[in-house]
Amino acid sequence: MNRLTEHDGQGNWALKGVPWKDLRAGKTITEPLQEVLYGALWKLKEYEDIGLSPEETYQLRESCCGVSPAEDEKNKESQERKKIIELLNDIQKILDEEGAEEFEDLRKSKKKEIFDLLYEAIPEIDMDGDSDGCYIQFEPIDGFTIVLFSSAEYMESEAIRDTLTSLQVNTTEHNEATFEEALEWLEQADNR
């Protein structure tokens, strides 16, 4: 089955490929967005035409396929970790291509590229700061965060994007983890 929705590690969901900001009041519905929305509503209509509640669907799936909701959730979490591993590898590739050892060594355009990768891939963010600077924190799964620091004087994503200073990855085992430590933590999560 091709999903029309996606979930992050915190249980937040969205229509796949459609950031929530594109669905806010006052936004223009473009033709590509209209097609995605139509497809999602059509699929919802098909499910409703079946006449089963979500609970009845889970029971049917478990009885015929042997997959419980708990196993399904574990598979989703594993997929989310794989997505984050891919994202970290993409960031590492940018660093390698630029010959940079640290985020701080990157050109402004490459810092923005990393910001955009994170902002598109991880819908739920937390921002804080004061006149000395701000940060934007991405927490795609429990126990794992990526924090981008900025010299921006106010908390607005575009201002932060334009004044990025550093990047920090944290896991439950490593505060300020290296990419290698973060990747190892993600890969071993199924064994915890």
Side-chain angles (χ1 to χ4, degrees), residues 88-103 105-107 109-111 113-114 117 179:
L88 288 178
N89 285 328
D90 289 345
I91 294 171
Q92 186 64 57
K93 183 178 177 185
I94 292 170
L95 289 166
D96 292 344
E97 286 173 353
E98 292 295 306
E101 301 242 347
E102 302 285 334
F103 181 83
D105 300 332
L106 291 172
R107 293 178 293 141
S109 63
K110 293 299 177 180
K111 290 178 181 179
E113 187 177 334
I114 290 172
L117 279 172
F179 273 41

Side-chain angles (χ1 to χ4, degrees), residues 6-21 24 80 83-84 87 115-127 136-141:
E6 55 191 1
H7 295 84
D8 66 17
Q10 298 173 320
N12 302 303
W13 66 274
L15 190 55
K16 192 179 280 185
V18 180
W20 279 109
K21 63 182 176 141
R24 291 195 178 122
E80 194 63 33
K83 181 175 144 185
I84 297 164
L87 186 60
F115 177 93
D116 293 342
L117 279 172
L118 292 168
Y119 202 76
E120 285 299 315
I122 307 169
E124 290 301 313
I125 60 170
D126 181 31
M127 286 190 266
I136 187 165
Q137 178 173 293
F138 302 89
E139 188 172 359
I141 59 173

Side-chain angles (χ1 to χ4, degrees), residues 61-62 65-77:
R61 182 171 180 221
E62 189 169 2
C65 305
V67 178
S68 70
E71 291 171 311
D72 198 34
E73 188 61 33
K74 187 175 180 180
N75 289 337
K76 286 179 189 174
E77 290 172 3

Side-chain angles (χ1 to χ4, degrees), residues 6 22 55 80 96 155 172:
E6 55 191 1
D22 290 353
E55 292 78 21
E80 194 63 33
D96 292 344
M155 291 179 293
T172 53

